[in-house]
Amino acid sequence: MIEKSIRVFIVDDHPMVIEGMTAMLQQTPSIEVAGYAMTAASCLGYFVNQTADVVLMDINLPDMSGIDLCKVLKQKFSDLRILGISNLSQGSYVQEMMKQGASGYVLKNASKEELVGAIHKVNQGKQHLSPDAGQAMRKEIEKQKEMPLITKREKEVLALIVQGLTNPAIADKLFISASTVDSHRKSLLAKLDAKNTAALVSYALNHHLVEEE
Amino acid sequence: MIEKSIRVFIVDDHPMVIEGMTAMLQQTPSIEVAGYAMTAASCLGYFVNQTADVVLMDINLPDMSGIDLCKVLKQKFSDLRILGISNLSQGSYVQEMMKQGASGYVLKNASKEELVGAIHKVNQGKQHLSPDAGQAMRKEIEKQKEMPLITKREKEVLALIVQGLTNPAIADKLFISASTVDSHRKSLLAKLDAKNTAALVSYALNHHLVEEE
DNA sequence: AGAAAAATCCCCTGAAAAGGGGAGGCGGAG
DNA sequence: CTCCGCCTCCCCTTTTCAGGGGATTTTTCT
């Protein structure tokens, strides 16, 4: 029985990883490396004239996040299967990736067997998540359930508190009264179970409730 | 002219990277991949009976930090040249690595040419730093010069402030008076150019002046 | 349309922190 | 030995925060 081999396209900015994946996949007859790109731009360029079945895509690209690239590719080529690749098993990334249409996620410390297996699975329209990635994603979902607490406004206030602004200063920035800011501050203290500003800021930074770092 | 090829040993917990580096290096006649290990333990096991000229070593290993492994290897085999490998160009790691006797540092996004070049350079007893890594290291040194400000006691107080303790509570913990704690707090505010507790905590966490995260 | 949640604003009191000053002891570096 | 930095402690005042209420409007979800 003759099967068409799966055409895989690799997007990663690390030459080592490209070489490694290529080396791994070349040993597998059912898989064929159709090409690779080291930037999102050149990846998109490739897909103008050519195509592939599965894209192995690093989340961290120099010119565009893998999440955005995933979105763009799926919009143009809905049949394309995308497999996210990253060394970090941060649930939030995994989640975002899947939301944007990725079919799976493997970590960079995946074995050859897992990688090949994942490609086959994804090519059949199934999903594949690395054990750690899946776990991280589940944890992330748990977390979000545990504390959907903070409202938009509170988050804004929190961000300004973290920046070292006082209530009056925050009031100015948000065009509300200092009393209101104080109300939000009190809610935050209660919700996050902090008993003063220091604990509040610590919590916010350690739980990534605010941007910047 | 016949030259002995350089025996390279690879230590990395990512199969992809091992495959990738092996693939890259096999194309280079002057270099021979003597073996590889995915854990510090198996690396040490290898060197009981065998040896190599250059070790390519990832900083992030599952069972031991690359920095510690570097130290151990250099103690036992001072002739061994060690080339650190990592995707993060964090200056502090680079510095630590070099302190422990590493001969160089390349980033995972290094090209085949750079990798091969670095191996040759290091094998000749020279040093090699990836451009980005070198830059990161210089920045780190700059940083440390910019602010050796905080004293031991201040750091202790800062850590407790970050944990959300008030002056009286800190005073209790450190067996000093609340007035003294306040003095330290004032010093911190002045030194770190923060105008309140929130800014202080932010600064401390963002600049890793305290443990835990 | 009606209930729930969020956002807005205000009062009060006491505690903590910010900002300013001064001062004594102690140990290391010049 | 003397100076300087660090640690220690205290005084003062003003501002900000914490904790407890209560109240109104707007948004959101059902």
Side-chain angles (χ1 to χ4, degrees):
Chain A
M1 164 181 175
I2 299 170
E3 263 187 78
K4 265 200 294 186
S5 62
I6 304 169
R7 287 163 303 169
V8 172
F9 188 84
I10 301 169
V11 189
D12 197 306
D13 60 326
H14 304 302
M16 278 180 211
V17 175
I18 291 180
E19 290 271 356
M21 289 198 291
T22 306
M24 279 177 169
L25 300 179
Q26 274 173 349
Q27 298 162 24
T28 310
S30 56
I31 293 174
E32 169 196 338
V33 177
Y36 65 87
M38 287 178 60
T39 63
S42 75
C43 169
L44 290 169
Y46 171 88
F47 280 96
V48 171
N49 300 314
Q50 288 149 286
T51 186
D53 299 310
V54 176
V55 178
L56 298 183
M57 186 157 66
D58 189 8
I59 305 292
N60 308 110
L61 297 172
D63 54 342
M64 187 191 291
S65 97
I67 292 164
D68 294 334
L69 179 56
C70 182
K71 192 176 173 182
V72 174
L73 282 179
K74 281 300 271 189
Q75 275 173 356
K76 294 195 178 179
F77 316 99
S78 55
D79 288 347
L80 208 54
R81 305 299 176 184
I82 296 172
L83 197 51
I85 304 218
S86 176
N87 30 10
L88 18 87
S89 62
Q90 281 189 227
S92 52
Y93 286 118
V94 183
Q95 239 192 134
E96 272 307 309
M97 199 80 186
M98 301 300 282
K99 245 187 233 166
Q100 296 308 334
S103 298
Y105 199 98
V106 295
L107 299 179
K108 273 192 183 163
N109 64 5
S111 67
K112 181 186 157 188
E113 287 68 34
E114 190 191 336
L115 182 63
V116 170
I119 291 172
H120 280 115
K121 236 168 118 180
V122 161
N123 186 241
Q124 287 160 28
K126 297 179 195 165
Q127 285 202 341
H128 177 88
L129 284 178
S130 268
D132 289 353
Q135 195 184 320
M137 186 165 144
R138 265 171 244 121
K139 265 190 193 168
E140 192 71 16
I141 291 168
E142 283 302 309
K143 248 189 214 167
Q144 291 185 0
K145 275 183 190 166
E146 275 173 25
M147 46 121 166
L149 316 138
I150 294 131
T151 69
K152 277 161 279 178
R153 205 52 160 172
E154 284 164 358
K155 198 174 177 179
E156 287 174 27
V157 171
L158 180 55
L160 295 171
I161 290 174
V162 168
Q163 283 168 37
L165 301 191
T166 64
N167 285 348
I170 295 170
D172 256 29
K173 280 235 172 190
L174 299 183
F175 306 108
I176 56 180
S177 93
S179 312
T180 306
V181 177
D182 200 50
S183 290
H184 290 310
R185 187 185 217 113
K186 286 169 184 169
S187 301
L188 286 165
L189 289 171
K191 287 184 180 178
L192 304 185
D193 193 33
K195 62 182 187 308
N196 59 35
T197 305
L200 191 63
V201 173
S202 277
Y203 188 97
L205 290 177
N206 286 143
H207 292 72
H208 308 103
L209 293 180
V210 289
E211 321 309 322
E212 66 129 10
E213 176 130 352
Chain B
M1 163 183 178
I2 299 169
E3 262 187 78
K4 265 200 295 184
S5 62
I6 305 170
R7 286 163 303 168
V8 172
F9 188 82
I10 301 169
V11 189
D12 198 305
D13 59 328
H14 304 302
M16 278 179 210
V17 174
I18 291 180
E19 289 272 355
M21 289 197 292
T22 306
M24 278 178 168
L25 299 179
Q26 274 172 348
Q27 297 161 26
T28 309
S30 56
I31 294 174
E32 170 197 337
V33 177
Y36 64 87
M38 289 178 59
T39 62
S42 75
C43 168
L44 290 170
Y46 172 88
F47 280 97
V48 171
N49 299 315
Q50 287 148 287
T51 185
D53 299 310
V54 176
V55 178
L56 298 183
M57 186 158 66
D58 189 8
I59 305 293
N60 308 110
L61 297 173
D63 53 342
M64 189 191 291
S65 98
I67 291 163
D68 294 333
L69 179 56
C70 182
K71 191 175 172 182
V72 173
L73 282 179
K74 281 300 271 190
Q75 276 174 354
K76 294 195 178 177
F77 316 98
S78 55
D79 288 346
L80 208 55
R81 305 299 174 184
I82 296 173
L83 196 51
I85 304 218
S86 176
N87 31 9
L88 17 90
S89 60
Q90 283 186 225
S92 52
Y93 287 118
V94 182
Q95 241 193 133
E96 272 306 310
M97 199 80 186
M98 301 300 283
K99 244 186 235 165
Q100 297 307 335
S103 299
Y105 200 97
V106 295
L107 300 179
K108 272 193 184 166
N109 65 3
S111 65
K112 180 186 158 189
E113 289 69 33
E114 189 190 335
L115 182 63
V116 170
I119 291 173
H120 280 114
K121 238 169 113 180
V122 162
N123 185 241
Q124 287 160 30
K126 296 180 197 165
Q127 284 202 342
H128 177 88
L129 283 180
S130 268
D132 289 353
Q135 195 184 320
M137 188 165 145
R138 265 171 244 121
K139 266 191 192 167
E140 192 71 17
I141 291 168
E142 283 302 307
K143 248 188 212 166
Q144 291 186 358
K145 276 184 188 167
E146 273 171 27
M147 45 116 166
L149 314 137
I150 295 130
T151 69
K152 276 162 280 175
R153 204 53 159 170
E154 282 164 359
K155 197 172 177 181
E156 287 174 27
V157 171
L158 179 56
L160 295 172
I161 291 174
V162 168
Q163 283 169 36
L165 301 190
T166 64
N167 284 348
I170 295 170
D172 256 29
K173 279 234 172 189
L174 300 183
F175 306 108
I176 55 180
S177 93
S179 313
T180 305
V181 176
D182 199 51
S183 290
H184 290 311
R185 185 182 218 115
K186 285 170 184 169
S187 300
L188 286 165
L189 289 171
K191 286 184 179 178
L192 304 184
D193 193 34
K195 62 184 187 310
N196 59 36
T197 305
L200 191 63
V201 174
S202 278
Y203 189 98
L205 291 177
N206 287 144
H207 292 72
H208 310 103
L209 293 180
V210 289
E211 321 310 322
E212 66 127 8
E213 176 129 350

